[in-house]
Amino acid sequence: MEIIISVRKIAYTTNKPVNQVLGGSTQQFLLGKSLKNNGGVFCIIIGIDAGSWSAFAVIDLEGKLVSVKSRKNWGKNDFLKELAEYQPVIVACDTTPPSRLAKATATVFSARLFTPKHSLHVFEKTILAKNEGKNAHERDAIAAARKAFNCMAGNKIRQFNRISHGTATVKQKELVLNGHKMRDVLKN
């Protein structure tokens, strides 16, 4: 399935309105990758560490690390293209206020943005990352994703699995994380 991202105000390659960039009235921006996950929606949490070195970490809704990458001088468009193979429900960062890249990523993928109450300290990041990642930037991205999982997703997913007796689909979990009531999701 091709992932087409609706962009409302800005095409991130040029900082111009989408219709000016694409030469028409279309409101869609094709990032150009595809993902197949046994016919279902791949529902994940992405942690982002932005700066001259940028990194992202991808964890699934069970809290398991799926992917982590970092690169120096990673352009915003290339960064978003790399993330296009995933369908995030939550985009997380490790700082308060969030970075512009985290805000842009959440907007592009229509995902919820998670920011901690206070910027995470190195000690917290090290504990959350569990010695995964090759450098400090990957550690920070992993820590951001895990913090979002612990604060936003973990409890809801565990509770929903218990209520549904372990029969919940990925799509149902995504609906619960997007704010739908558990009982309404199970009825449908």
Side-chain angles (χ1 to χ4, degrees):
M1 117 180 119
E2 285 189 337
I3 297 175
I4 298 176
I5 313 305
S6 294
V7 180
R8 293 185 179 89
K9 296 180 182 174
I10 298 173
Y12 290 99
T13 55
T14 61
N15 289 328
K16 293 182 181 177
V18 175
N19 58 2
Q20 288 179 7
V21 173
L22 299 178
S25 62
T26 182
Q27 290 288 310
Q28 294 182 331
F29 183 61
L30 178 63
L31 291 177
K33 289 196 177 186
S34 63
L35 175 77
K36 292 179 182 156
N37 182 33
N38 299 328
V41 176
F42 195 62
C43 193
I44 46 99
I45 299 169
I46 294 177
I48 293 177
D49 181 52
S52 59
W53 273 87
S54 296
F56 71 82
V58 178
I59 63 172
D60 64 16
L61 292 182
E62 304 301 321
K64 297 175 188 154
L65 187 63
V66 174
S67 177
V68 62
K69 293 183 182 177
S70 63
R71 191 175 302 158
K72 188 171 184 172
N73 299 323
W74 210 343
K76 191 186 313 185
N77 195 38
D78 292 335
F79 186 82
L80 293 174
K81 283 181 182 178
E82 192 75 31
L83 289 175
E85 68 181 280
Y86 306 104
Q87 189 60 40
V89 175
I90 299 169
V91 173
C93 63
D94 61 339
T95 59
T96 300
S99 66
R100 289 187 302 181
L101 182 60
K103 288 180 185 177
T105 303
T107 300
V108 166
F109 291 105
S110 299
R112 294 175 69 181
L113 178 63
F114 171 81
T115 57
K117 290 181 181 177
H118 61 84
S119 296
L120 299 178
H121 300 287
V122 175
F123 180 72
E124 292 175 278
K125 293 176 188 179
T126 304
I127 291 171
L128 287 166
K130 301 176 186 173
N131 294 324
E132 295 176 317
K134 293 181 262 180
N135 55 47
H137 309 287
E138 291 181 1
R139 177 205 62 205
D140 292 355
I142 294 167
R146 290 232 169 92
K147 182 73 172 181
F149 177 79
N150 292 343
C151 291
M152 294 180 77
N155 290 335
K156 280 188 178 183
I157 295 300
R158 282 189 291 275
Q159 183 181 17
F160 190 62
N161 282 337
R162 190 177 62 247
I163 290 171
S164 69
H165 306 291
T167 61
T169 65
V170 173
K171 185 65 177 170
Q172 288 175 321
K173 291 176 185 179
E174 180 182 5
L175 290 171
V176 167
L177 286 178
N178 283 326
H180 292 82
K181 292 184 179 181
M182 292 181 196
R183 67 175 177 261
D184 294 341
V185 171
L186 287 173
K187 286 180 185 176
N188 296 332

